Amino acid sequence: MKTTRFYTITVLALILALTGAAAFVPQTASAESGGGTGTLTASGDGLAGIRGNGSVHITGNGILYIRDYAGDASIQVTGSGVKTELPNGWIRYMGFHGTADVSGSMISVALSGYDIDLQASGTGKFLLRGNGTYSVVRDGVVILSGTWTESAEVQQLP
């Protein structure tokens, strides 16, 4: 019960960070002009979330949250988990063990748990908290890489 509560609080913090960052952090000129696009690949345990325009493929175990802000998303979830459509527009999968493929013009996808593998292509912001590694590739070149941290820093795809 404590573990579920911890994951729920952590995911809610991610949601607030991603939505708050999008509202208050200015976008770079390149992102506004169509730049700032890349492919994020991440693997680890903890919390992985992304918000933006593009496609996300994520596998793992834990609590999965998905939100389609624009109403145009394609959402395909396979595996196990109890699906709940929340009144604020989020879809939550408790006890998630599987794969989710989500694409759209304004989506958020977050997974709090373990054995997380994430690949996302498009324009947006991401947050990785816990233990793992990540890289961002654009035009076949790794332009950013690192490890997940215990602080929840929202980063923009360069």
Side-chain angles (χ1 to χ4, degrees):
M1 174 110 166
K2 287 183 180 182
T3 303
T4 302
R5 186 176 299 145
F6 171 76
Y7 284 131
T8 301
I9 290 169
T10 304
V11 170
L12 290 175
L14 165 74
I15 293 165
L16 290 174
L18 288 174
T19 57
F24 299 111
V25 174
Q27 299 292 318
T28 63
S30 63
E32 290 175 359
S33 64
T37 299
T39 298
L40 167 68
T41 302
S43 296
D45 301 329
L47 177 64
I50 190 155
R51 179 177 186 203
N53 173 3
S55 62
V56 176
H57 174 81
I58 192 165
T59 64
N61 307 280
I63 303 172
L64 174 69
Y65 281 86
I66 301 170
R67 183 155 185 199
D68 173 14
Y69 295 94
D72 65 353
S74 168
I75 301 171
Q76 296 180 350
V77 178
T78 59
S80 60
V82 178
K83 178 182 176 181
T84 305
E85 294 187 21
L86 303 172
N88 60 2
W90 285 93
I91 302 169
R92 179 183 65 205
Y93 292 85
M94 294 289 292
F96 176 74
H97 174 77
T99 301
D101 290 294
V102 183
S103 61
S105 64
M106 181 50 74
I107 57 173
S108 286
V109 178
L111 178 57
S112 178
Y114 61 97
D115 291 337
I116 299 169
D117 285 309
L118 166 72
Q119 183 168 350
S121 295
T123 303
K125 299 176 186 304
F126 66 93
L127 182 143
L128 302 167
R129 181 175 186 263
N131 297 307
T133 59
Y134 72 93
S135 64
V136 177
V137 174
R138 182 172 43 201
D139 299 327
V141 177
V142 175
I143 57 174
L144 181 66
S145 64
T147 59
W148 300 20
T149 65
E150 286 303 315
S151 63
E153 281 186 36
V154 175
Q155 297 187 41
Q156 184 165 328
L157 289 173

